[in-house]
Amino acid sequence: MKDIREQLRGMAKVYGVKLTERQAEQFQIYMEMLVEWNEKINLTSITDPDQVVEKHFLDSLTLLEACPPKEGARVADVGTGAGFPGLALKIARPDIALTLLDGVNKKLTFLGEVCQALGLEAERVHKRAEEAGRDRSMRENFDLVTGRAVAALNVLSEYCLPLVKMKGYFAAMKGPGAAAELAEAQRALEILGGGAIQCKQTELPTAGERNIIVVRKLGFTPKEYPRHGGTICKHPL
């Protein structure tokens, strides 16, 4: 398996993220486990080491520049899948208290094995996002909630904003179509308590434009949200 350690450290530095040798080693182990486990369960379509570095690791780490969590922040990664961006953030910022949320238990099992191998702790929650948003122990309890490649912004907002505490942040990681998604999601963001909104654009070396939509929560989410089951997708706000 290719050694990606120095390559990743160099690329991350360009985006304002300085990784230690130990952190680079953790990313190396993560990549090797991702490729190995992907042969058993469907985690990602991207397994080439160079693409894993850029499209998974580096893409995840851009969040640290766009919306850096405060020291010891409670961070939730909704629909985490193979752990992006959540586990990548945890490697770079081991001080955060991370919750990995996914409806597919096999993926959480994989993430548990990775955390053990890397010597990191993260809470793994096997729930759908709308279930988590109605759980009193999770609702409006996180400083930062993020989602990557999960759903359109008007849908993702209803999954994530109920989990964000007052004056916390929701960060949606998006590709080139972010402006159109943001326009369609204005009503949803307003209803769910979203306040100040920024769209922060960056460019990955070969994968191109990426956008992180950062929403500050300035109002409590009404108790009727998130709605149940498929209603969120079928009838977006």
Side-chain angles (χ1 to χ4, degrees):
M1 187 71 69
K2 180 178 178 179
D3 189 329
I4 61 163
R5 290 175 292 181
E6 290 310 308
Q7 176 189 359
L8 178 59
R9 289 184 76 187
M11 293 172 81
K13 192 174 180 180
V14 174
Y15 293 85
V17 180
K18 294 182 179 179
L19 299 174
T20 65
E21 289 184 9
R22 170 60 180 154
Q23 288 166 329
E25 173 67 17
Q26 288 174 314
F27 275 111
Q28 177 76 31
I29 295 167
Y30 188 1
M31 181 196 71
E32 291 174 3
M33 292 184 73
L34 177 69
V35 173
E36 179 187 345
W37 275 69
N38 202 60
E39 294 177 1
K40 299 180 282 185
I41 61 174
N42 183 26
L43 294 167
T44 177
S45 60
I46 298 169
T47 55
D48 173 76
D50 292 329
Q51 291 201 40
V52 171
V53 167
E54 181 179 349
K55 294 182 179 179
H56 283 327
F57 296 161
L58 192 63
D59 187 30
S60 296
L61 293 173
T62 60
L63 185 58
L64 292 176
E65 192 172 36
C67 188
K70 67 181 183 181
E71 186 78 17
R74 291 200 68 195
V75 178
D77 182 11
V78 171
T80 185
F84 307 118
L87 195 49
L89 298 182
K90 180 69 175 178
I91 294 172
R93 284 282 307 275
D95 62 282
I96 64 172
L98 177 65
T99 296
L100 299 165
L101 179 68
D102 205 277
V104 181
N105 205 37
K106 288 180 181 179
K107 294 178 180 179
L108 294 173
T109 299
F110 162 71
L111 293 173
E113 293 292 320
V114 176
C115 285
Q116 187 173 7
L118 302 185
L120 296 173
E121 288 187 13
E123 182 182 18
R124 291 170 290 128
V125 178
H126 180 218
K127 282 185 178 185
R128 296 177 62 85
E130 61 269 30
E131 294 170 340
R134 293 192 297 271
D135 184 328
R136 289 184 180 180
S137 69
M138 299 182 73
R139 185 180 178 89
E140 296 187 324
N141 207 21
F142 294 91
D143 300 293
L144 171 63
V145 178
T146 187
R148 175 181 179 264
V150 175
L153 185 60
N154 54 358
V155 172
L156 186 63
S157 300
E158 193 167 348
Y159 289 153
C160 292
L161 270 168
L163 296 167
V164 182
K165 65 167 57 173
M166 182 65 77
K167 296 189 179 178
Y169 293 90
F170 160 45
M173 305 190 75
K174 293 290 178 181
E181 283 195 46
L182 183 54
E184 287 186 4
Q186 288 290 341
R187 178 172 178 269
L189 293 170
E190 185 177 331
I191 288 171
L192 297 164
I197 301 168
Q198 292 180 294
C199 186
K200 301 188 178 184
Q201 188 177 117
T202 189
E203 292 276 334
L204 293 179
T206 64
E209 182 185 332
R210 291 290 187 271
N211 292 278
I212 300 177
I213 299 168
V214 180
V215 181
R216 187 104 192 258
K217 188 164 181 177
L218 297 177
F220 291 109
T221 300
K223 63 182 179 181
E224 60 264 35
Y225 301 105
R227 292 168 291 169
H228 290 268
T231 308
I232 298 172
C233 290
K234 291 176 184 174
H235 305 286
L237 292 173

